[in-house]
């Protein structure tokens, strides 16, 4: 028995070594990549330090004498993680980390799983049976449409260029030099790496990982207008919304030189969004609210009961969302490292807490805890922890999740009723409200030493946070306000355009018959003869 255990351990260690093995050193042409100055050994005597950095560090040391030591340690962790080129051996770039590459491939697949079948089943079970196929189609069609846009120009707008608001079309159009590059052939390789975004993985898988976020975000909006929107109107609105709202916002938060991107030097507007609290959840949630307002209430709502036709489907979808969210959040570490583990732990703890507090609130107020409440609570917790998962400690994640479950329960139960809008599947109540709370809670529970990338990539910001000179919570609120305004105003304009072109809402007769038959000519269920 003891020998068997030893053999098993040896096999695991050997497998881990294979996954962590590095590719042979290859030398790409200078035009394809940029060097990571933060982790390269100095070839010349160091220049005079930035006065702003010296001032920030001095203020931080007055508050925390270990601040500089922590920053140095973080830079060391980052340097180990990125495997800097060895200039003494003539290396112009570092080889990828196969373990990181493998994890991002898996994480990308997990995030796609969140859209279909995860979100599709979750939403599909919550509508009436005459609308199930139409609702499934709302999620599935984005896997095709968004992918084509991403390939042609979407990735370029989100991650190209170096503008604070818009990536432009100067880089990565038709995914040029992203997954494959002829310019690398002379160096013996053909698979580019970007030191700007992800220095240990192939740039192509970074692109695909970000694509999966772009797919699910407009699909989340569909919960608001379920059971009453024209398929053509949905398709036009969501396509315009992706191009004019999602892509610029993704660039502002995650793109090179983006307005909020602290990883590229932002300080005054720096905001922390690890995996999409603003970009994904607040933007889609606010757009969902605007859609609910523009389309009006479903016929008969709220007087006519409209219960979910299959909570079994919704349960399966929610379970897939929970699992897929590990790719969503932990994958955003862009490597198989300790930061990914922190995000993974925080994600699970927050979801678990919210899955308890939502049905507990139902139990206390209505006398019974429901399964719908439990799965809705889990999603609310996952939404709220998304921006915070790489910046807080697990105890804080527990609190964030617990509050999110109760808060989103109150939003979907009372806020919707008080304001009188028909958010059919509570896209705003969960993603909008949960996302706003999560973004602000990121600042409230922020731990500056939780994420070593902060001092490694932006020492001035790190020292300002330590000294109290950077208002983290206030900057989170600024990012929330910008996102709400961009998505809210932009969605209203786009909805008006769609309304007076192809139209938004089906006729009363079509709504009575259901979207399955009237929009797609199919039925999800056929009664036995």
């Amino acid at each position: 028995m003891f020998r068997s255990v030893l053999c098993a351990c040896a096999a695991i260690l050997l497998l881990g070594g294979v996954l962590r093995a590095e590719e042979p050193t290859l030398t790409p042409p200078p035009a394809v990549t940029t060097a990571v100055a933060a982790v390269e050994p100095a070839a010349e005597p160091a220049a005079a330090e930035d006065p702003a950095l010296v001032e920030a560090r001095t203020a931080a040391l007055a508050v925390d004498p270990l601040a500089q030591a922590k920053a140095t340690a973080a830079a060391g962790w980052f340097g180990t993680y990125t495997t800097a080129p060895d200039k003494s051996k003539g290396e112009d770039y570092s080889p990828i980390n196969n373990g990181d590459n493998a994890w991002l491939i898996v994480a990308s697949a997990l995030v796609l799983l969140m859209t279909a079948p995860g979100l599709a089943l979750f939403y599909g079970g919550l509508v009436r049976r005459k609308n199930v196929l139409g609702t499934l189609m709302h999620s599935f069609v984005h896997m095709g449409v968004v992918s084509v846009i991403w390939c042609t120009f979407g990735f370029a707008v989100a991650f190209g260029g170096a503008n604070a608001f818009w990536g432009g079309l100067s880089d990565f159009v038709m995914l040029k030099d992203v997954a494959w590059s002829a310019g690398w052939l002379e160096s013996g390789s053909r698979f580019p790496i970007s030191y700007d975004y992800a220095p240990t993985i192939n740039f192509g898988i970074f692109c695909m990982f970000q694509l999966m976020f772009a797919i699910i975000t407009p699909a989340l909006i569909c919960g608001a207008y379920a059971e009453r929107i024209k398929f053509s109107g949905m398709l036009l609105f969501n396509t315009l919304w992706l191009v004019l709202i999602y892509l610029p916002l993704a660039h502002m938060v995650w793109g090179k030189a983006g307005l909020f991107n602290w990883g590229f030097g932002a300080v005054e507007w720096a905001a922390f969004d690890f995996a999409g609290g603003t970009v994904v959840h607040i933007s889609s949630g606010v757009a969902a609210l605007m859609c609910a307002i523009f389309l009006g209430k479903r016929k008969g709502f709220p007087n006519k009961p409209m219960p979910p036709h299959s909570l079994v489907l919704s349960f399966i979808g929610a379970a897939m969302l929970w699992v897929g969210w590990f790719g969503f959040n932990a994958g955003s570490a862009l490597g198989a490292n300790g930061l990914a583990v922190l995000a993974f732990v925080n994600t699970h703890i927050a979801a678990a807490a919210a899955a308890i507090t939502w049905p507990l609130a139902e139990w206390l107020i209505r006398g019974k805890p429901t399964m719908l409440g439990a799965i809705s609570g889990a999603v609310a917790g996952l939404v709220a922890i998304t921006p915070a998962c790489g910046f807080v400690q697990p105890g804080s994640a527990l609190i964030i999740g617990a509050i999110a479950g109760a808060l989103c329960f109150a939003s979907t139960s009372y806020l919707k009723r008080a304001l009188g809008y028909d958010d059919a599947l509570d896209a705003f109540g969960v993603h909008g409200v949960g996302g706003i709370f999560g973004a602000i809670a990121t600042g409230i529970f922020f731990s500056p030493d939780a994420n070593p990338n902060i001092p490694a990539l932006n020492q001035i910001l790190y020292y300002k946070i330590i000294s109290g000179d950077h208002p983290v919570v206030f900057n989170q609120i600024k990012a929330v306000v910008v996102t709400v305004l961009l998505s809210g105003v932009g969605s209203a304009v786009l909805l008006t355009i769609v309304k007076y072109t192809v139209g938004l809402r089906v006729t009363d007769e079509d709504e009575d018959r259901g979207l399955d038959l009237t929009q797609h000519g199919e039925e999800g269920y056929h009664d036995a003869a």
Side-chain angles (χ1 to χ4, degrees):
M1 178 66 180
F2 182 71
R3 182 179 301 173
S4 299
V5 172
L6 287 178
C7 292
C9 291
I12 292 171
L13 290 173
L14 180 61
L15 177 60
V18 171
L19 288 176
R20 298 294 298 183
E22 297 177 341
E23 290 186 348
T25 300
L26 303 172
T27 306
V32 179
T33 64
T34 57
V36 184
V39 298
E40 288 184 356
E44 300 176 357
E49 286 191 293
D50 182 353
L53 173 60
V54 174
E55 180 183 357
R57 182 172 61 223
T58 302
L61 288 171
V63 176
D64 182 0
L66 296 177
Q68 186 172 2
K70 291 176 182 178
T72 301
W77 178 88
F78 186 81
T80 302
Y81 162 58
T82 54
T83 319
D86 186 346
K87 292 298 184 181
S88 67
K89 297 180 181 179
E91 294 179 359
D92 290 328
Y93 83 114
S94 55
I96 67 166
N97 183 305
N98 285 338
D100 291 349
N101 225 36
W103 167 232
L104 262 294
I105 292 172
V106 173
S108 299
L110 286 172
V111 180
L112 183 62
L113 180 79
M114 291 174 65
T115 301
L119 183 67
L121 291 177
F122 182 68
Y123 277 175
L126 294 178
V127 297
R128 289 168 288 180
R129 58 184 294 165
K130 63 184 179 180
N131 297 312
V132 60
L133 291 184
T135 303
L136 295 176
M137 187 64 168
H138 286 171
S139 292
F140 194 81
V141 72
H142 288 93
M143 295 170 67
V145 173
V146 176
S147 297
V148 172
I149 293 173
W150 196 254
C151 175
T152 52
F153 66 89
F155 183 64
V157 172
F159 292 95
N163 184 282
F165 304 99
W166 182 268
L169 299 175
S170 59
D171 302 312
F172 314 139
V173 173
M174 297 300 291
L175 301 188
K176 186 177 185 298
D177 293 331
V178 175
W180 183 90
S181 174
W184 284 54
L185 292 176
E186 294 179 2
S187 66
S189 179
R190 61 202 67 199
F191 308 116
I193 301 170
S194 171
Y195 287 162
D196 285 331
Y197 291 114
T200 70
I201 62 176
N202 288 124
F203 197 29
I205 195 57
F206 173 84
C207 171
M208 287 297 99
F209 181 66
Q210 298 297 339
L211 165 61
M212 304 315 167
F213 284 66
I215 289 172
I216 196 171
T217 304
L220 292 172
I221 304 172
C222 301
Y225 48 60
E227 302 195 307
R228 62 199 188 278
I229 195 168
K230 293 174 64 176
F231 184 73
S232 58
M234 181 279 298
L235 203 56
L236 180 58
F237 168 74
N238 279 18
T239 299
L240 293 173
W241 187 90
L242 175 83
V243 174
L244 299 176
I245 296 175
Y246 177 86
L247 295 181
L249 189 57
H251 183 80
M252 283 190 278
V253 176
W254 295 326
K256 184 177 180 180
L259 178 65
F260 302 115
N261 195 340
W262 54 269
F264 285 93
V267 175
E268 295 303 318
W269 280 86
F272 298 96
D273 185 354
F274 194 77
T278 51
V279 182
V280 176
H281 297 297
I282 298 177
S283 67
S284 62
V286 171
L289 177 62
M290 299 308 299
C291 287
I293 294 172
F294 266 74
L295 269 81
K297 300 175 183 179
R298 286 167 291 175
K299 189 176 179 182
F301 181 88
N303 300 318
K304 180 181 178 181
M306 299 179 183
H309 90 280
S310 177
L311 285 176
V312 174
L313 289 181
S314 295
F315 170 82
I316 296 171
M320 290 181 173
L321 284 171
W322 191 330
V323 173
W325 227 291
F326 293 127
F328 200 88
N329 286 359
S332 293
L334 301 178
N337 52 51
L339 185 57
V341 173
L342 177 66
F344 192 109
V345 171
N346 286 340
T347 298
H348 185 71
I349 296 301
I356 294 173
T357 54
W358 185 311
L360 181 61
E362 291 179 319
W363 205 348
L364 293 173
I365 296 172
R366 298 172 181 169
K368 290 185 175 66
T370 68
M371 192 195 72
L372 177 58
I375 61 177
S376 299
V379 173
L382 292 164
V383 168
I385 199 60
T386 293
C389 60
F391 302 110
V392 302
Q393 300 177 29
S396 299
L398 181 70
I399 297 172
I400 291 172
I403 295 175
L407 179 64
C408 292
F409 164 75
S411 171
T412 57
S413 299
Y414 304 109
L415 180 64
K416 180 167 68 172
R417 186 185 309 166
L419 298 182
Y421 61 86
D422 182 13
D423 178 6
L425 308 182
D426 294 318
F428 172 72
V430 173
H431 295 276
V433 173
I436 291 171
F437 165 71
I440 297 173
T442 301
I444 295 173
F445 295 98
F446 186 80
S447 177
D449 293 314
N451 189 329
N453 286 335
I454 300 172
L457 298 176
N458 196 331
Q459 286 193 11
I460 293 178
L461 177 63
Y462 173 72
Y463 288 136
K464 281 181 173 289
I465 293 172
I466 294 296
S467 64
D469 293 331
H470 180 79
V472 178
V473 176
F474 180 66
N475 269 34
Q476 294 298 109
I477 294 174
K478 286 198 298 186
V480 168
V481 171
V482 170
T483 304
V484 169
L485 289 176
L486 176 61
S487 185
V489 175
S491 297
V493 172
L494 296 178
L495 285 165
T496 301
I497 293 172
V498 174
K499 180 178 180 179
Y500 292 104
T501 52
V502 301
L504 279 172
R505 185 162 180 158
V506 298
T507 64
D508 287 349
E509 180 183 353
D510 285 350
E511 188 174 346
D512 287 334
R513 293 183 63 204
L515 302 186
D516 292 0
L517 282 173
T518 61
Q519 301 299 298
H520 305 289
E522 306 172 284
E523 289 185 279
Y525 304 98
H526 296 277
D527 295 327

